[in-house]
PDB file of all heavy atoms in Angstrom:
ATOM      1  N   PRO S   1      -0.529   3.671  -7.024  1.00 82.00           N
ATOM      2  CA  PRO S   1      -1.213   4.675  -6.201  1.00 82.00           C
ATOM      3  C   PRO S   1      -1.832   4.064  -4.975  1.00 82.00           C
ATOM      4  O   PRO S   1      -2.314   2.947  -4.993  1.00 82.00           O
ATOM      5  CB  PRO S   1      -2.281   5.245  -7.133  1.00 82.00           C
ATOM      6  CG  PRO S   1      -2.492   4.168  -8.139  1.00 82.00           C
ATOM      7  CD  PRO S   1      -1.206   3.430  -8.291  1.00 82.00           C
ATOM      8  N   VAL S   2      -1.792   4.825  -3.889  1.00 83.00           N
ATOM      9  CA  VAL S   2      -2.396   4.390  -2.639  1.00 83.00           C
ATOM     10  C   VAL S   2      -3.547   5.371  -2.322  1.00 83.00           C
ATOM     11  O   VAL S   2      -3.357   6.570  -2.337  1.00 83.00           O
ATOM     12  CB  VAL S   2      -1.376   4.410  -1.488  1.00 83.00           C
ATOM     13  CG1 VAL S   2      -2.034   4.081  -0.165  1.00 83.00           C
ATOM     14  CG2 VAL S   2      -0.243   3.401  -1.779  1.00 83.00           C
ATOM     15  N   ARG S   3      -4.698   4.816  -2.074  1.00 84.00           N
ATOM     16  CA  ARG S   3      -5.888   5.661  -1.818  1.00 84.00           C
ATOM     17  C   ARG S   3      -5.759   6.350  -0.448  1.00 84.00           C
ATOM     18  O   ARG S   3      -5.282   5.767   0.515  1.00 84.00           O
ATOM     19  CB  ARG S   3      -7.167   4.837  -1.865  1.00 84.00           C
ATOM     20  CG  ARG S   3      -7.425   4.291  -3.240  1.00 84.00           C
ATOM     21  CD  ARG S   3      -8.879   3.791  -3.374  1.00 84.00           C
ATOM     22  NE  ARG S   3      -9.165   3.382  -4.725  1.00 84.00           N
ATOM     23  CZ  ARG S   3      -9.534   4.209  -5.671  1.00 84.00           C
ATOM     24  NH1 ARG S   3      -9.659   5.504  -5.431  1.00 84.00           N
ATOM     25  NH2 ARG S   3      -9.779   3.777  -6.903  1.00 84.00           N
ATOM     26  N   CYS S   4      -6.266   7.572  -0.397  1.00 84.00           N
ATOM     27  CA  CYS S   4      -6.322   8.331   0.839  1.00 84.00           C
ATOM     28  C   CYS S   4      -7.267   7.617   1.800  1.00 84.00           C
ATOM     29  O   CYS S   4      -8.392   7.295   1.429  1.00 84.00           O
ATOM     30  CB  CYS S   4      -6.763   9.758   0.595  1.00 84.00           C
ATOM     31  SG  CYS S   4      -7.045  10.717   2.084  1.00 84.00           S
ATOM     32  N   PRO S   5      -6.842   7.349   3.035  1.00 84.00           N
ATOM     33  CA  PRO S   5      -7.750   6.683   3.991  1.00 84.00           C
ATOM     34  C   PRO S   5      -8.966   7.522   4.401  1.00 84.00           C
ATOM     35  O   PRO S   5      -9.960   6.974   4.901  1.00 84.00           O
ATOM     36  CB  PRO S   5      -6.851   6.377   5.194  1.00 84.00           C
ATOM     37  CG  PRO S   5      -5.706   7.307   5.075  1.00 84.00           C
ATOM     38  CD  PRO S   5      -5.544   7.631   3.627  1.00 84.00           C
ATOM     39  N   GLN S   6      -8.926   8.846   4.142  1.00 85.00           N
ATOM     40  CA  GLN S   6     -10.075   9.670   4.536  1.00 85.00           C
ATOM     41  C   GLN S   6     -11.051   9.878   3.396  1.00 85.00           C
ATOM     42  O   GLN S   6     -12.237   9.683   3.552  1.00 85.00           O
ATOM     43  CB  GLN S   6      -9.575  11.054   5.038  1.00 85.00           C
ATOM     44  CG  GLN S   6      -8.912  10.933   6.384  1.00 85.00           C
ATOM     45  CD  GLN S   6      -8.403  12.280   6.903  1.00 85.00           C
ATOM     46  OE1 GLN S   6      -8.445  13.266   6.217  1.00 85.00           O
ATOM     47  NE2 GLN S   6      -7.908  12.263   8.128  1.00 85.00           N
ATOM     48  N   CYS S   7     -10.555  10.288   2.199  1.00 87.00           N
ATOM     49  CA  CYS S   7     -11.475  10.600   1.099  1.00 87.00           C
ATOM     50  C   CYS S   7     -11.499   9.549   0.014  1.00 87.00           C
ATOM     51  O   CYS S   7     -12.367   9.557  -0.837  1.00 87.00           O
ATOM     52  CB  CYS S   7     -11.152  11.952   0.481  1.00 87.00           C
ATOM     53  SG  CYS S   7      -9.610  12.006  -0.456  1.00 87.00           S
ATOM     54  N   GLY S   8     -10.513   8.631   0.008  1.00 85.00           N
ATOM     55  CA  GLY S   8     -10.481   7.543  -0.944  1.00 85.00           C
ATOM     56  C   GLY S   8      -9.882   7.893  -2.282  1.00 85.00           C
ATOM     57  O   GLY S   8      -9.808   7.025  -3.172  1.00 85.00           O
ATOM     58  N   ARG S   9      -9.404   9.118  -2.492  1.00 83.00           N
ATOM     59  CA  ARG S   9      -8.772   9.473  -3.762  1.00 83.00           C
ATOM     60  C   ARG S   9      -7.399   8.809  -3.891  1.00 83.00           C
ATOM     61  O   ARG S   9      -6.620   8.762  -2.947  1.00 83.00           O
ATOM     62  CB  ARG S   9      -8.567  10.965  -3.844  1.00 83.00           C
ATOM     63  CG  ARG S   9      -9.862  11.719  -3.966  1.00 83.00           C
ATOM     64  CD  ARG S   9      -9.587  13.185  -4.350  1.00 83.00           C
ATOM     65  NE  ARG S   9     -10.827  13.881  -4.534  1.00 83.00           N
ATOM     66  CZ  ARG S   9     -11.197  14.974  -3.892  1.00 83.00           C
ATOM     67  NH1 ARG S   9     -10.368  15.521  -3.052  1.00 83.00           N
ATOM     68  NH2 ARG S   9     -12.356  15.535  -4.123  1.00 83.00           N
ATOM     69  N   PRO S  10      -7.096   8.292  -5.118  1.00 80.00           N
ATOM     70  CA  PRO S  10      -5.789   7.684  -5.319  1.00 80.00           C
ATOM     71  C   PRO S  10      -4.674   8.698  -5.526  1.00 80.00           C
ATOM     72  O   PRO S  10      -3.521   8.382  -5.345  1.00 80.00           O
ATOM     73  CB  PRO S  10      -5.992   6.840  -6.579  1.00 80.00           C
ATOM     74  CG  PRO S  10      -7.118   7.478  -7.307  1.00 80.00           C
ATOM     75  CD  PRO S  10      -7.988   8.124  -6.262  1.00 80.00           C
ATOM     76  N   GLY S  11      -5.010   9.902  -5.899  1.00 76.00           N
ATOM     77  CA  GLY S  11      -4.007  10.936  -6.155  1.00 76.00           C
ATOM     78  C   GLY S  11      -3.977  11.955  -5.014  1.00 76.00           C
ATOM     79  O   GLY S  11      -4.431  11.730  -3.914  1.00 76.00           O
ATOM     80  N   ALA S  12      -3.399  13.123  -5.366  1.00 75.00           N
ATOM     81  CA  ALA S  12      -3.290  14.194  -4.364  1.00 75.00           C
ATOM     82  C   ALA S  12      -4.670  14.669  -3.898  1.00 75.00           C
ATOM     83  O   ALA S  12      -5.630  14.678  -4.669  1.00 75.00           O
ATOM     84  CB  ALA S  12      -2.530  15.369  -4.960  1.00 75.00           C
ATOM     85  N   CYS S  13      -4.746  15.001  -2.637  1.00 78.00           N
ATOM     86  CA  CYS S  13      -5.988  15.492  -2.059  1.00 78.00           C
ATOM     87  C   CYS S  13      -5.672  16.521  -0.980  1.00 78.00           C
ATOM     88  O   CYS S  13      -4.521  16.727  -0.671  1.00 78.00           O
ATOM     89  CB  CYS S  13      -6.842  14.337  -1.493  1.00 78.00           C
ATOM     90  SG  CYS S  13      -6.044  13.487  -0.103  1.00 78.00           S
ATOM     91  N   ARG S  14      -6.694  17.082  -0.383  1.00 80.00           N
ATOM     92  CA  ARG S  14      -6.463  18.097   0.660  1.00 80.00           C
ATOM     93  C   ARG S  14      -6.523  17.549   2.060  1.00 80.00           C
ATOM     94  O   ARG S  14      -6.422  18.292   3.019  1.00 80.00           O
ATOM     95  CB  ARG S  14      -7.519  19.204   0.530  1.00 80.00           C
ATOM     96  CG  ARG S  14      -7.398  19.982  -0.742  1.00 80.00           C
ATOM     97  CD  ARG S  14      -8.403  21.070  -0.820  1.00 80.00           C
ATOM     98  NE  ARG S  14      -8.253  21.816  -2.078  1.00 80.00           N
ATOM     99  CZ  ARG S  14      -8.944  22.866  -2.375  1.00 80.00           C
ATOM    100  NH1 ARG S  14      -9.835  23.338  -1.546  1.00 80.00           N
ATOM    101  NH2 ARG S  14      -8.750  23.468  -3.514  1.00 80.00           N
ATOM    102  N   CYS S  15      -6.690  16.253   2.206  1.00 78.00           N
ATOM    103  CA  CYS S  15      -6.833  15.646   3.529  1.00 78.00           C
ATOM    104  C   CYS S  15      -5.540  15.655   4.321  1.00 78.00           C
ATOM    105  O   CYS S  15      -5.570  15.644   5.565  1.00 78.00           O
ATOM    106  CB  CYS S  15      -7.322  14.212   3.392  1.00 78.00           C
ATOM    107  SG  CYS S  15      -8.927  14.065   2.624  1.00 78.00           S
ATOM    108  N   ILE S  16      -4.444  15.601   3.684  1.00 73.00           N
ATOM    109  CA  ILE S  16      -3.136  15.520   4.325  1.00 73.00           C
ATOM    110  C   ILE S  16      -3.105  14.290   5.267  1.00 73.00           C
ATOM    111  O   ILE S  16      -2.549  14.327   6.361  1.00 73.00           O
ATOM    112  CB  ILE S  16      -2.726  16.799   5.071  1.00 73.00           C
ATOM    113  CG1 ILE S  16      -2.947  18.011   4.214  1.00 73.00           C
ATOM    114  CG2 ILE S  16      -1.272  16.753   5.521  1.00 73.00           C
ATOM    115  CD1 ILE S  16      -2.692  19.334   4.908  1.00 73.00           C
ATOM    116  N   ALA S  17      -3.715  13.220   4.810  1.00 74.00           N
ATOM    117  CA  ALA S  17      -3.746  11.990   5.611  1.00 74.00           C
ATOM    118  C   ALA S  17      -2.460  11.194   5.356  1.00 74.00           C
ATOM    119  O   ALA S  17      -1.871  11.237   4.306  1.00 74.00           O
ATOM    120  CB  ALA S  17      -4.969  11.156   5.247  1.00 74.00           C
ATOM    121  N   ASN S  18      -2.057  10.439   6.350  1.00 78.00           N
ATOM    122  CA  ASN S  18      -0.860   9.622   6.241  1.00 78.00           C
ATOM    123  C   ASN S  18      -1.230   8.323   5.507  1.00 78.00           C
ATOM    124  O   ASN S  18      -2.072   7.573   5.963  1.00 78.00           O
ATOM    125  CB  ASN S  18      -0.324   9.295   7.611  1.00 78.00           C
ATOM    126  CG  ASN S  18       1.005   8.614   7.560  1.00 78.00           C
ATOM    127  OD1 ASN S  18       1.415   8.079   6.551  1.00 78.00           O
ATOM    128  ND2 ASN S  18       1.694   8.602   8.685  1.00 78.00           N
ATOM    129  N   ARG S  19      -0.549   8.111   4.388  1.00 80.00           N
ATOM    130  CA  ARG S  19      -0.803   6.884   3.587  1.00 80.00           C
ATOM    131  C   ARG S  19       0.261   5.823   3.836  1.00 80.00           C
ATOM    132  O   ARG S  19       0.315   4.827   3.126  1.00 80.00           O
ATOM    133  CB  ARG S  19      -0.839   7.263   2.103  1.00 80.00           C
ATOM    134  CG  ARG S  19      -1.901   8.256   1.755  1.00 80.00           C
ATOM    135  CD  ARG S  19      -1.896   8.583   0.290  1.00 80.00           C
ATOM    136  NE  ARG S  19      -2.808   9.704   0.028  1.00 80.00           N
ATOM    137  CZ  ARG S  19      -3.376   9.910  -1.128  1.00 80.00           C
ATOM    138  NH1 ARG S  19      -3.176   9.101  -2.112  1.00 80.00           N
ATOM    139  NH2 ARG S  19      -4.196  10.937  -1.291  1.00 80.00           N
ATOM    140  N   HIS S  20       1.072   6.008   4.848  1.00 79.00           N
ATOM    141  CA  HIS S  20       2.168   5.128   5.127  1.00 79.00           C
ATOM    142  C   HIS S  20       1.688   3.683   5.337  1.00 79.00           C
ATOM    143  O   HIS S  20       2.272   2.733   4.769  1.00 79.00           O
ATOM    144  CB  HIS S  20       2.960   5.596   6.333  1.00 79.00           C
ATOM    145  CG  HIS S  20       4.077   4.659   6.758  1.00 79.00           C
ATOM    146  ND1 HIS S  20       5.262   4.615   6.104  1.00 79.00           N
ATOM    147  CD2 HIS S  20       4.124   3.735   7.715  1.00 79.00           C
ATOM    148  CE1 HIS S  20       6.030   3.688   6.647  1.00 79.00           C
ATOM    149  NE2 HIS S  20       5.352   3.157   7.655  1.00 79.00           N
ATOM    150  N   ASP S  21       0.699   3.441   6.204  1.00 80.00           N
ATOM    151  CA  ASP S  21       0.253   2.092   6.480  1.00 80.00           C
ATOM    152  C   ASP S  21      -0.242   1.401   5.245  1.00 80.00           C
ATOM    153  O   ASP S  21       0.046   0.216   5.029  1.00 80.00           O
ATOM    154  CB  ASP S  21      -0.874   2.103   7.565  1.00 80.00           C
ATOM    155  CG  ASP S  21      -0.324   2.527   8.915  1.00 80.00           C
ATOM    156  OD1 ASP S  21       0.902   2.464   9.144  1.00 80.00           O
ATOM    157  OD2 ASP S  21      -1.145   2.913   9.775  1.00 80.00           O
ATOM    158  N   ALA S  22      -0.997   2.127   4.395  1.00 83.00           N
ATOM    159  CA  ALA S  22      -1.483   1.517   3.174  1.00 83.00           C
ATOM    160  C   ALA S  22      -0.321   1.168   2.225  1.00 83.00           C
ATOM    161  O   ALA S  22      -0.314   0.132   1.559  1.00 83.00           O
ATOM    162  CB  ALA S  22      -2.470   2.458   2.465  1.00 83.00           C
ATOM    163  N   ARG S  23       0.690   2.021   2.195  1.00 83.00           N
ATOM    164  CA  ARG S  23       1.873   1.758   1.362  1.00 83.00           C
ATOM    165  C   ARG S  23       2.611   0.515   1.862  1.00 83.00           C
ATOM    166  O   ARG S  23       3.005  -0.334   1.055  1.00 83.00           O
ATOM    167  CB  ARG S  23       2.795   2.986   1.375  1.00 83.00           C
ATOM    168  CG  ARG S  23       4.103   2.800   0.711  1.00 83.00           C
ATOM    169  CD  ARG S  23       4.147   2.987  -0.780  1.00 83.00           C
ATOM    170  NE  ARG S  23       3.515   4.178  -1.230  1.00 83.00           N
ATOM    171  CZ  ARG S  23       2.806   4.264  -2.375  1.00 83.00           C
ATOM    172  NH1 ARG S  23       2.670   3.196  -3.126  1.00 83.00           N
ATOM    173  NH2 ARG S  23       2.225   5.375  -2.733  1.00 83.00           N
ATOM    174  N   VAL S  24       2.786   0.394   3.174  1.00 83.00           N
ATOM    175  CA  VAL S  24       3.432  -0.783   3.750  1.00 83.00           C
ATOM    176  C   VAL S  24       2.645  -2.032   3.392  1.00 83.00           C
ATOM    177  O   VAL S  24       3.220  -3.088   3.000  1.00 83.00           O
ATOM    178  CB  VAL S  24       3.597  -0.656   5.261  1.00 83.00           C
ATOM    179  CG1 VAL S  24       3.999  -1.945   5.898  1.00 83.00           C
ATOM    180  CG2 VAL S  24       4.595   0.440   5.585  1.00 83.00           C
ATOM    181  N   GLU S  25       1.339  -2.017   3.522  1.00 86.00           N
ATOM    182  CA  GLU S  25       0.504  -3.177   3.196  1.00 86.00           C
ATOM    183  C   GLU S  25       0.649  -3.541   1.722  1.00 86.00           C
ATOM    184  O   GLU S  25       0.708  -4.750   1.391  1.00 86.00           O
ATOM    185  CB  GLU S  25      -0.972  -2.905   3.535  1.00 86.00           C
ATOM    186  CG  GLU S  25      -1.236  -2.829   5.024  1.00 86.00           C
ATOM    187  CD  GLU S  25      -0.890  -4.138   5.756  1.00 86.00           C
ATOM    188  OE1 GLU S  25      -1.225  -5.224   5.255  1.00 86.00           O
ATOM    189  OE2 GLU S  25      -0.256  -4.025   6.804  1.00 86.00           O
ATOM    190  N   LEU S  26       0.704  -2.578   0.834  1.00 85.00           N
ATOM    191  CA  LEU S  26       0.813  -2.812  -0.590  1.00 85.00           C
ATOM    192  C   LEU S  26       2.153  -3.489  -0.908  1.00 85.00           C
ATOM    193  O   LEU S  26       2.215  -4.493  -1.595  1.00 85.00           O
ATOM    194  CB  LEU S  26       0.722  -1.489  -1.351  1.00 85.00           C
ATOM    195  CG  LEU S  26       0.636  -1.576  -2.881  1.00 85.00           C
ATOM    196  CD1 LEU S  26      -0.697  -2.213  -3.282  1.00 85.00           C
ATOM    197  CD2 LEU S  26       0.746  -0.187  -3.490  1.00 85.00           C
ATOM    198  N   VAL S  27       3.236  -2.970  -0.333  1.00 87.00           N
ATOM    199  CA  VAL S  27       4.569  -3.563  -0.562  1.00 87.00           C
ATOM    200  C   VAL S  27       4.664  -4.937   0.057  1.00 87.00           C
ATOM    201  O   VAL S  27       5.151  -5.876  -0.551  1.00 87.00           O
ATOM    202  CB  VAL S  27       5.684  -2.608  -0.062  1.00 87.00           C
ATOM    203  CG1 VAL S  27       7.030  -3.296  -0.093  1.00 87.00           C
ATOM    204  CG2 VAL S  27       5.707  -1.316  -0.848  1.00 87.00           C
ATOM    205  N   LEU S  28       4.152  -5.085   1.282  1.00 88.00           N
ATOM    206  CA  LEU S  28       4.189  -6.402   1.958  1.00 88.00           C
ATOM    207  C   LEU S  28       3.395  -7.430   1.156  1.00 88.00           C
ATOM    208  O   LEU S  28       3.845  -8.559   1.008  1.00 88.00           O
ATOM    209  CB  LEU S  28       3.617  -6.245   3.358  1.00 88.00           C
ATOM    210  CG  LEU S  28       3.701  -7.485   4.252  1.00 88.00           C
ATOM    211  CD1 LEU S  28       5.138  -7.948   4.376  1.00 88.00           C
ATOM    212  CD2 LEU S  28       3.121  -7.202   5.606  1.00 88.00           C
ATOM    213  N   GLY S  29       2.244  -7.062   0.630  1.00 86.00           N
ATOM    214  CA  GLY S  29       1.442  -7.984  -0.182  1.00 86.00           C
ATOM    215  C   GLY S  29       2.224  -8.439  -1.434  1.00 86.00           C
ATOM    216  O   GLY S  29       2.206  -9.602  -1.790  1.00 86.00           O
ATOM    217  N   ALA S  30       2.927  -7.490  -2.061  1.00 86.00           N
ATOM    218  CA  ALA S  30       3.726  -7.831  -3.250  1.00 86.00           C
ATOM    219  C   ALA S  30       4.881  -8.748  -2.892  1.00 86.00           C
ATOM    220  O   ALA S  30       5.149  -9.711  -3.604  1.00 86.00           O
ATOM    221  CB  ALA S  30       4.242  -6.550  -3.911  1.00 86.00           C
ATOM    222  N   VAL S  31       5.550  -8.496  -1.777  1.00 88.00           N
ATOM    223  CA  VAL S  31       6.666  -9.341  -1.367  1.00 88.00           C
ATOM    224  C   VAL S  31       6.169 -10.720  -0.991  1.00 88.00           C
ATOM    225  O   VAL S  31       6.786 -11.727  -1.380  1.00 88.00           O
ATOM    226  CB  VAL S  31       7.458  -8.704  -0.201  1.00 88.00           C
ATOM    227  CG1 VAL S  31       8.444  -9.666   0.418  1.00 88.00           C
ATOM    228  CG2 VAL S  31       8.151  -7.408  -0.688  1.00 88.00           C
ATOM    229  N   LEU S  32       5.061 -10.799  -0.257  1.00 88.00           N
ATOM    230  CA  LEU S  32       4.534 -12.115   0.121  1.00 88.00           C
ATOM    231  C   LEU S  32       4.109 -12.910  -1.106  1.00 88.00           C
ATOM    232  O   LEU S  32       4.313 -14.147  -1.171  1.00 88.00           O
ATOM    233  CB  LEU S  32       3.364 -11.959   1.090  1.00 88.00           C
ATOM    234  CG  LEU S  32       3.755 -11.488   2.505  1.00 88.00           C
ATOM    235  CD1 LEU S  32       2.518 -11.233   3.330  1.00 88.00           C
ATOM    236  CD2 LEU S  32       4.699 -12.479   3.152  1.00 88.00           C
ATOM    237  N   ALA S  33       3.498 -12.243  -2.111  1.00 85.00           N
ATOM    238  CA  ALA S  33       3.132 -12.954  -3.342  1.00 85.00           C
ATOM    239  C   ALA S  33       4.390 -13.440  -4.045  1.00 85.00           C
ATOM    240  O   ALA S  33       4.411 -14.583  -4.563  1.00 85.00           O
ATOM    241  CB  ALA S  33       2.346 -11.987  -4.241  1.00 85.00           C
ATOM    242  N   TYR S  34       5.449 -12.645  -4.070  1.00 84.00           N
ATOM    243  CA  TYR S  34       6.724 -13.066  -4.666  1.00 84.00           C
ATOM    244  C   TYR S  34       7.281 -14.314  -3.963  1.00 84.00           C
ATOM    245  O   TYR S  34       7.699 -15.283  -4.581  1.00 84.00           O
ATOM    246  CB  TYR S  34       7.734 -11.946  -4.641  1.00 84.00           C
ATOM    247  CG  TYR S  34       9.133 -12.373  -4.952  1.00 84.00           C
ATOM    248  CD1 TYR S  34       9.557 -12.499  -6.290  1.00 84.00           C
ATOM    249  CD2 TYR S  34      10.033 -12.657  -3.929  1.00 84.00           C
ATOM    250  CE1 TYR S  34      10.859 -12.912  -6.564  1.00 84.00           C
ATOM    251  CE2 TYR S  34      11.302 -13.067  -4.199  1.00 84.00           C
ATOM    252  CZ  TYR S  34      11.738 -13.223  -5.520  1.00 84.00           C
ATOM    253  OH  TYR S  34      13.004 -13.618  -5.801  1.00 84.00           O
ATOM    254  N   LEU S  35       7.278 -14.242  -2.611  1.00 85.00           N
ATOM    255  CA  LEU S  35       7.819 -15.372  -1.844  1.00 85.00           C
ATOM    256  C   LEU S  35       6.988 -16.626  -2.063  1.00 85.00           C
ATOM    257  O   LEU S  35       7.540 -17.725  -2.119  1.00 85.00           O
ATOM    258  CB  LEU S  35       7.844 -14.991  -0.353  1.00 85.00           C
ATOM    259  CG  LEU S  35       8.847 -13.918   0.034  1.00 85.00           C
ATOM    260  CD1 LEU S  35       8.680 -13.529   1.520  1.00 85.00           C
ATOM    261  CD2 LEU S  35      10.258 -14.350  -0.251  1.00 85.00           C
ATOM    262  N   ALA S  36       5.674 -16.482  -2.170  1.00 83.00           N
ATOM    263  CA  ALA S  36       4.796 -17.652  -2.416  1.00 83.00           C
ATOM    264  C   ALA S  36       5.129 -18.273  -3.785  1.00 83.00           C
ATOM    265  O   ALA S  36       5.155 -19.484  -3.937  1.00 83.00           O
ATOM    266  CB  ALA S  36       3.344 -17.237  -2.334  1.00 83.00           C
ATOM    267  N   ARG S  37       5.341 -17.380  -4.777  1.00 82.00           N
ATOM    268  CA  ARG S  37       5.677 -17.885  -6.137  1.00 82.00           C
ATOM    269  C   ARG S  37       6.974 -18.615  -6.189  1.00 82.00           C
ATOM    270  O   ARG S  37       7.174 -19.586  -6.908  1.00 82.00           O
ATOM    271  CB  ARG S  37       5.699 -16.742  -7.156  1.00 82.00           C
ATOM    272  CG  ARG S  37       4.363 -16.251  -7.615  1.00 82.00           C
ATOM    273  CD  ARG S  37       4.484 -15.374  -8.837  1.00 82.00           C
ATOM    274  NE  ARG S  37       5.507 -14.334  -8.780  1.00 82.00           N
ATOM    275  CZ  ARG S  37       5.307 -13.104  -8.288  1.00 82.00           C
ATOM    276  NH1 ARG S  37       4.110 -12.769  -7.848  1.00 82.00           N
ATOM    277  NH2 ARG S  37       6.267 -12.211  -8.272  1.00 82.00           N
ATOM    278  N   THR S  38       7.953 -18.131  -5.417  1.00 79.00           N
ATOM    279  CA  THR S  38       9.289 -18.735  -5.441  1.00 79.00           C
ATOM    280  C   THR S  38       9.448 -19.868  -4.457  1.00 79.00           C
ATOM    281  O   THR S  38      10.484 -20.520  -4.435  1.00 79.00           O
ATOM    282  CB  THR S  38      10.376 -17.682  -5.162  1.00 79.00           C
ATOM    283  OG1 THR S  38      10.156 -17.127  -3.832  1.00 79.00           O
ATOM    284  CG2 THR S  38      10.370 -16.590  -6.203  1.00 79.00           C
ATOM    285  N   GLY S  39       8.432 -20.107  -3.620  1.00 75.00           N
ATOM    286  CA  GLY S  39       8.486 -21.186  -2.641  1.00 75.00           C
ATOM    287  C   GLY S  39       9.360 -20.877  -1.447  1.00 75.00           C
ATOM    288  O   GLY S  39       9.710 -21.741  -0.671  1.00 75.00           O
ATOM    289  N   ALA S  40       9.683 -19.610  -1.235  1.00 69.00           N
ATOM    290  CA  ALA S  40      10.547 -19.190  -0.147  1.00 69.00           C
ATOM    291  C   ALA S  40       9.848 -19.182   1.225  1.00 69.00           C
ATOM    292  O   ALA S  40      10.496 -19.094   2.253  1.00 69.00           O
ATOM    293  CB  ALA S  40      11.190 -17.830  -0.402  1.00 69.00           C
ATOM    294  N   THR S  41       8.506 -19.264   1.242  1.00 57.00           N
ATOM    295  CA  THR S  41       7.783 -19.169   2.503  1.00 57.00           C
ATOM    296  C   THR S  41       7.617 -20.549   3.176  1.00 57.00           C
ATOM    297  O   THR S  41       7.119 -20.622   4.286  1.00 57.00           O
ATOM    298  CB  THR S  41       6.393 -18.556   2.326  1.00 57.00           C
ATOM    299  OG1 THR S  41       5.677 -19.303   1.340  1.00 57.00           O
ATOM    300  CG2 THR S  41       6.525 -17.105   1.897  1.00 57.00           C
ATOM    301  N   SER S  42       7.977 -21.603   2.475  1.00 50.00           N
ATOM    302  CA  SER S  42       7.770 -22.928   3.077  1.00 50.00           C
ATOM    303  C   SER S  42       8.925 -23.415   3.861  1.00 50.00           C
ATOM    304  O   SER S  42       9.947 -22.847   3.932  1.00 50.00           O
ATOM    305  CB  SER S  42       7.431 -23.954   1.990  1.00 50.00           C
ATOM    306  OG  SER S  42       8.346 -23.881   0.945  1.00 50.00           O
TER     307      SER S  42
END
């Protein structure tokens, strides 16, 4: 779940805020952690 940038709820809310940037950051963090574990970033 990605928290709403306006109200902070992890689920559905009425803000209709775009959670795209938070989703990208979440996926990017997971990929970078994977690359660090496998040594692919060096």
Side-chain angles (χ1 to χ4, degrees):
V2 175
R3 295 195 174 277
C4 173
Q6 290 180 354
C7 69
R9 290 192 178 124
C13 64
R14 294 183 180 184
C15 298
I16 311 174
N18 188 343
R19 299 181 189 206
H20 176 79
D21 291 343
R23 173 82 50 216
V24 168
E25 291 299 315
L26 188 68
V27 172
L28 185 58
V31 169
L32 290 176
Y34 167 83
L35 292 174
R37 281 195 313 271
T38 62
T41 57
S42 50

